[in-house]
Amino acid sequence: MNVESLKVNKQSWDEVAHRFYGRNPLPEYGPLAPREDELNLFGDVTDLKILDIGCGSGHSLQYMSKRNAGELWGIDLSKKQIDAAKLVLDNCNSPVSLFESPMEENPGIPEDYFDSVYSIYALGWTTDLDKTLANVNNYLKKGGMFIFSWEHPLHSRVSNKDDVLAVTKSYHEEGPYNHEAWDHPAIMQQYRISTYMNSLINNGFKIEKMIEDVCLTDEDVHRHANRWYSFEKAKAIPTTIIIKSQKL
Protein backbone atom coordinates (compact mmCIF):
# COMPACT_ATOMS: atom_id res chain seq x y z
CA MET A 1 0.00 0.00 0.00
CA ASN A 2 1.45 3.35 -1.06
CA VAL A 3 0.68 5.74 1.80
CA GLU A 4 1.84 8.84 -0.12
CA SER A 5 -0.42 8.06 -3.10
CA LEU A 6 -3.38 7.54 -0.79
CA LYS A 7 -2.68 10.88 0.89
CA VAL A 8 -2.54 12.69 -2.47
CA ASN A 9 -5.71 11.02 -3.75
CA LYS A 10 -7.66 11.61 -0.54
CA GLN A 11 -6.88 15.33 -0.65
CA SER A 12 -7.79 15.55 -4.34
CA TRP A 13 -11.08 13.72 -3.89
CA ASP A 14 -12.06 15.90 -0.95
CA GLU A 15 -11.48 18.93 -3.19
CA VAL A 16 -13.29 17.69 -6.31
CA ALA A 17 -16.02 15.48 -4.81
CA HIS A 18 -18.74 17.99 -5.70
CA ARG A 19 -17.89 17.63 -9.40
CA PHE A 20 -18.55 13.91 -9.29
CA TYR A 21 -21.75 14.00 -7.25
CA GLY A 22 -24.04 11.38 -8.79
CA ARG A 23 -21.70 10.83 -11.77
CA ASN A 24 -22.27 7.53 -13.60
CA PRO A 25 -23.83 5.55 -10.73
CA LEU A 26 -25.62 2.24 -11.21
CA PRO A 27 -27.47 1.31 -13.36
CA GLU A 28 -24.61 2.91 -15.35
CA TYR A 29 -21.29 1.07 -15.42
CA GLY A 30 -19.36 3.91 -17.03
CA PRO A 31 -19.46 6.44 -19.87
CA LEU A 32 -20.73 5.02 -23.17
CA ALA A 33 -20.93 1.54 -21.61
CA PRO A 34 -23.91 -0.85 -21.40
CA ARG A 35 -26.15 -0.42 -18.37
CA GLU A 36 -27.32 -2.87 -15.74
CA ASP A 37 -30.81 -2.65 -17.29
CA GLU A 38 -29.36 -4.44 -20.34
CA LEU A 39 -26.78 -6.68 -18.67
CA ASN A 40 -28.64 -7.83 -15.55
CA LEU A 41 -25.37 -8.93 -13.91
CA PHE A 42 -26.74 -8.59 -10.38
CA GLY A 43 -30.07 -10.31 -10.91
CA ASP A 44 -32.60 -9.99 -8.06
CA VAL A 45 -30.96 -8.26 -5.07
CA THR A 46 -33.99 -8.40 -2.78
CA ASP A 47 -32.86 -8.80 0.86
CA LEU A 48 -29.19 -9.24 -0.15
CA LYS A 49 -26.29 -7.79 1.81
CA ILE A 50 -24.47 -5.40 -0.55
CA LEU A 51 -21.05 -3.69 -0.28
CA ASP A 52 -19.86 -0.86 -2.55
CA ILE A 53 -16.07 -0.41 -2.87
CA GLY A 54 -15.43 3.27 -3.63
CA CYS A 55 -19.04 4.22 -2.95
CA GLY A 56 -18.58 7.91 -3.77
CA SER A 57 -21.72 9.98 -3.23
CA GLY A 58 -23.81 6.89 -2.53
CA HIS A 59 -26.03 6.98 -5.60
CA SER A 60 -25.23 3.39 -6.62
CA LEU A 61 -26.22 2.22 -3.14
CA GLN A 62 -29.38 4.29 -3.47
CA TYR A 63 -30.11 2.36 -6.67
CA MET A 64 -29.66 -0.90 -4.74
CA SER A 65 -32.01 0.33 -2.04
CA LYS A 66 -34.70 1.04 -4.64
CA ARG A 67 -34.25 -2.58 -5.79
CA ASN A 68 -34.95 -3.74 -2.21
CA ALA A 69 -31.46 -4.78 -1.14
CA GLY A 70 -31.41 -5.96 2.47
CA GLU A 71 -28.32 -4.10 3.78
CA LEU A 72 -26.24 -1.30 2.24
CA TRP A 73 -22.54 -0.98 3.07
CA GLY A 74 -19.99 1.36 1.51
CA ILE A 75 -16.33 2.33 1.80
CA ASP A 76 -14.61 5.38 0.31
CA LEU A 77 -11.30 7.18 0.80
CA SER A 78 -12.85 10.65 0.77
CA LYS A 79 -14.59 12.21 3.78
CA LYS A 80 -16.50 14.55 1.45
CA GLN A 81 -17.82 11.58 -0.51
CA ILE A 82 -18.87 9.74 2.64
CA ASP A 83 -20.61 12.87 3.96
CA ALA A 84 -22.50 13.18 0.66
CA ALA A 85 -23.43 9.48 0.72
CA LYS A 86 -24.85 9.80 4.24
CA LEU A 87 -27.22 12.50 3.00
CA VAL A 88 -28.19 10.62 -0.17
CA LEU A 89 -28.93 7.45 1.80
CA ASP A 90 -30.57 9.12 4.80
CA ASN A 91 -34.10 8.05 3.89
CA CYS A 92 -33.36 4.56 2.56
CA ASN A 93 -35.48 1.70 3.85
CA SER A 94 -32.39 -0.54 4.08
CA PRO A 95 -29.86 -0.30 6.95
CA VAL A 96 -26.77 1.69 5.90
CA SER A 97 -23.15 1.40 7.12
CA LEU A 98 -20.46 3.67 5.62
CA PHE A 99 -16.71 3.75 6.24
CA GLU A 100 -14.16 6.45 5.39
CA SER A 101 -11.14 4.30 4.57
CA PRO A 102 -8.77 3.17 1.80
CA MET A 103 -10.02 0.06 0.02
CA GLU A 104 -6.67 -1.58 0.80
CA GLU A 105 -7.63 -1.69 4.50
CA ASN A 106 -10.54 -3.27 6.37
CA PRO A 107 -11.94 -0.59 8.70
CA GLY A 108 -14.31 -3.02 10.42
CA ILE A 109 -16.31 -4.56 7.60
CA PRO A 110 -17.52 -8.10 8.47
CA GLU A 111 -16.00 -11.07 6.65
CA ASP A 112 -17.81 -14.00 4.99
CA TYR A 113 -20.90 -11.80 5.17
CA PHE A 114 -21.89 -10.26 1.83
CA ASP A 115 -23.91 -11.70 -1.02
CA SER A 116 -22.56 -9.14 -3.46
CA VAL A 117 -19.64 -6.70 -3.57
CA TYR A 118 -19.22 -4.25 -6.44
CA SER A 119 -17.08 -1.30 -7.52
CA ILE A 120 -18.17 1.18 -10.20
CA TYR A 121 -15.23 3.10 -11.73
CA ALA A 122 -13.20 2.98 -8.52
CA LEU A 123 -10.95 -0.09 -8.54
CA GLY A 124 -8.25 1.61 -10.62
CA TRP A 125 -7.57 3.94 -7.68
CA THR A 126 -6.22 1.12 -5.51
CA THR A 127 -2.51 1.26 -4.70
CA ASP A 128 -2.47 -2.51 -4.09
CA LEU A 129 -4.72 -4.52 -6.39
CA ASP A 130 -3.98 -7.91 -4.78
CA LYS A 131 -4.65 -6.61 -1.27
CA THR A 132 -7.90 -4.99 -2.34
CA LEU A 133 -9.11 -8.15 -4.10
CA ALA A 134 -8.09 -10.27 -1.11
CA ASN A 135 -10.22 -7.97 1.08
CA VAL A 136 -13.17 -8.32 -1.30
CA ASN A 137 -12.85 -12.10 -1.24
CA ASN A 138 -12.81 -12.06 2.57
CA TYR A 139 -15.94 -9.90 2.72
CA LEU A 140 -17.95 -12.22 0.48
CA LYS A 141 -19.80 -15.37 1.42
CA LYS A 142 -18.75 -18.46 -0.52
CA GLY A 143 -20.45 -18.23 -3.89
CA GLY A 144 -20.93 -14.47 -3.53
CA MET A 145 -20.30 -12.27 -6.55
CA PHE A 146 -17.93 -9.41 -7.23
CA ILE A 147 -18.68 -7.06 -10.12
CA PHE A 148 -16.51 -4.11 -11.08
CA SER A 149 -16.11 -1.62 -13.90
CA TRP A 150 -13.17 0.61 -14.71
CA GLU A 151 -11.68 2.55 -17.60
CA HIS A 152 -10.60 0.13 -20.31
CA PRO A 153 -6.78 -0.27 -20.18
CA LEU A 154 -6.49 0.62 -23.87
CA HIS A 155 -8.40 3.87 -23.58
CA SER A 156 -5.66 6.00 -22.01
CA ARG A 157 -3.04 4.45 -24.31
CA VAL A 158 -4.67 5.75 -27.49
CA SER A 159 -5.19 9.41 -28.36
CA ASN A 160 -7.74 10.86 -30.72
CA LYS A 161 -6.63 14.08 -32.38
CA ASP A 162 -8.38 15.42 -35.45
CA ASP A 163 -10.11 12.03 -35.78
CA VAL A 164 -6.75 10.26 -36.01
CA LEU A 165 -6.16 7.48 -33.47
CA ALA A 166 -2.58 6.96 -32.33
CA VAL A 167 -0.98 4.74 -29.70
CA THR A 168 0.78 7.15 -27.34
CA LYS A 169 1.93 4.73 -24.64
CA SER A 170 2.64 1.02 -24.45
CA TYR A 171 -0.25 -1.16 -23.37
CA HIS A 172 2.29 -3.39 -21.60
CA GLU A 173 3.45 -0.64 -19.23
CA GLU A 174 1.77 -1.00 -15.84
CA GLY A 175 1.86 0.91 -12.56
CA PRO A 176 0.93 4.35 -11.16
CA TYR A 177 0.33 7.32 -13.44
CA ASN A 178 -1.05 10.85 -13.29
CA HIS A 179 -4.28 10.94 -15.25
CA GLU A 180 -4.13 13.75 -17.83
CA ALA A 181 -7.89 14.36 -17.67
CA TRP A 182 -7.64 15.46 -14.02
CA ASP A 183 -6.75 19.04 -13.11
CA HIS A 184 -5.83 17.96 -9.57
CA PRO A 185 -3.02 15.59 -8.53
CA ALA A 186 -4.47 12.11 -9.04
CA ILE A 187 -2.47 8.90 -8.97
CA MET A 188 -4.27 6.03 -10.66
CA GLN A 189 -3.08 2.56 -11.57
CA GLN A 190 -2.66 1.13 -15.05
CA TYR A 191 -3.10 -2.64 -15.42
CA ARG A 192 -3.55 -4.87 -18.43
CA ILE A 193 -6.77 -6.86 -18.66
CA SER A 194 -4.77 -10.04 -18.03
CA THR A 195 -3.48 -8.56 -14.75
CA TYR A 196 -7.02 -7.94 -13.51
CA MET A 197 -8.10 -11.42 -14.50
CA ASN A 198 -5.06 -13.21 -13.07
CA SER A 199 -5.27 -11.23 -9.83
CA LEU A 200 -8.92 -12.22 -9.48
CA ILE A 201 -8.02 -15.87 -10.06
CA ASN A 202 -5.08 -15.75 -7.65
CA ASN A 203 -7.32 -14.26 -4.95
CA GLY A 204 -9.94 -16.99 -5.10
CA PHE A 205 -12.39 -15.86 -7.77
CA LYS A 206 -13.91 -17.57 -10.78
CA ILE A 207 -14.45 -15.17 -13.69
CA GLU A 208 -17.95 -15.48 -15.09
CA LYS A 209 -18.13 -12.71 -17.65
CA MET A 210 -16.11 -9.85 -19.13
CA ILE A 211 -17.76 -7.06 -21.10
CA GLU A 212 -16.04 -4.38 -23.17
CA ASP A 213 -18.92 -3.32 -25.40
CA VAL A 214 -19.84 0.30 -26.04
CA CYS A 215 -23.29 1.84 -26.21
CA LEU A 216 -23.52 4.63 -28.79
CA THR A 217 -26.76 6.53 -29.27
CA ASP A 218 -27.62 9.64 -31.26
CA GLU A 219 -27.81 11.56 -27.98
CA ASP A 220 -24.25 10.51 -27.11
CA VAL A 221 -22.85 12.12 -30.27
CA HIS A 222 -23.45 15.56 -28.75
CA ARG A 223 -23.20 14.70 -25.05
CA HIS A 224 -19.74 13.16 -25.49
CA ALA A 225 -18.28 15.55 -28.05
CA ASN A 226 -14.73 16.68 -27.22
CA ARG A 227 -14.68 14.82 -23.90
CA TRP A 228 -12.14 12.40 -22.47
CA TYR A 229 -14.63 9.62 -23.23
CA SER A 230 -15.62 10.85 -26.68
CA PHE A 231 -18.16 9.32 -29.05
CA GLU A 232 -15.68 9.25 -31.94
CA LYS A 233 -12.98 7.49 -29.93
CA ALA A 234 -15.47 5.02 -28.45
CA LYS A 235 -16.35 3.84 -31.97
CA ALA A 236 -12.85 2.35 -32.13
CA ILE A 237 -11.67 1.88 -28.51
CA PRO A 238 -13.82 0.67 -25.59
CA THR A 239 -14.22 3.12 -22.74
CA THR A 240 -14.92 0.55 -20.04
CA ILE A 241 -14.28 -3.01 -18.91
CA ILE A 242 -16.87 -4.77 -16.75
CA ILE A 243 -15.97 -8.05 -15.05
CA LYS A 244 -18.28 -10.32 -13.07
CA SER A 245 -16.67 -12.95 -10.84
CA GLN A 246 -17.67 -15.34 -8.08
CA LYS A 247 -15.93 -16.31 -4.83
CA LEU A 248 -14.95 -19.99 -4.94
Side-chain angles (χ1 to χ4, degrees), residues 140-241:
L140 282 166
K141 298 175 182 176
K142 184 176 181 180
M145 64 180 173
F146 175 49
I147 298 169
F148 79 87
S149 66
W150 181 244
E151 182 178 285
H152 196 286
L154 277 175
H155 191 272
S156 64
R157 294 324 200 211
V158 177
S159 69
N160 180 30
K161 187 174 182 179
D162 300 325
D163 294 330
V164 176
L165 297 176
V167 177
T168 54
K169 201 169 187 179
S170 170
Y171 174 74
H172 303 294
E173 183 179 330
E174 297 186 296
Y177 70 103
N178 291 303
H179 201 297
E180 66 181 81
W182 272 63
D183 55 7
H184 281 64
I187 303 170
M188 301 183 196
Q189 302 294 322
Q190 175 75 12
Y191 298 114
R192 296 175 298 176
I193 291 175
S194 59
T195 299
Y196 283 114
M197 300 184 85
N198 288 327
S199 188
L200 284 164
I201 292 166
N202 292 338
N203 283 286
F205 290 96
K206 176 180 72 173
I207 296 166
E208 293 195 349
K209 186 174 286 190
M210 187 185 82
I211 297 156
E212 49 186 352
D213 298 337
V214 294
C215 185
L216 303 173
T217 67
D218 291 340
E219 178 188 359
D220 289 321
V221 175
H222 304 290
R223 190 172 61 167
H224 288 274
N226 301 316
R227 291 189 175 184
W228 176 253
Y229 301 107
S230 71
F231 181 90
E232 289 301 320
K233 187 173 176 180
K235 287 193 295 185
I237 301 293
T239 61
T240 303
I241 56 166

Side-chain angles (χ1 to χ4, degrees), residues 8 20 32 52 57 72 75 79 85 87-88 119 127 131 146 158 161 163-164 194 198 200 224 230-231 237:
V8 169
F20 292 88
L32 298 168
D52 186 335
S57 54
L72 306 175
I75 179 173
K79 181 181 186 302
L87 293 175
V88 167
S119 181
T127 63
K131 178 58 178 172
F146 175 49
V158 177
K161 187 174 182 179
D163 294 330
V164 176
S194 59
N198 288 327
L200 284 164
H224 288 274
S230 71
F231 181 90
I237 301 293

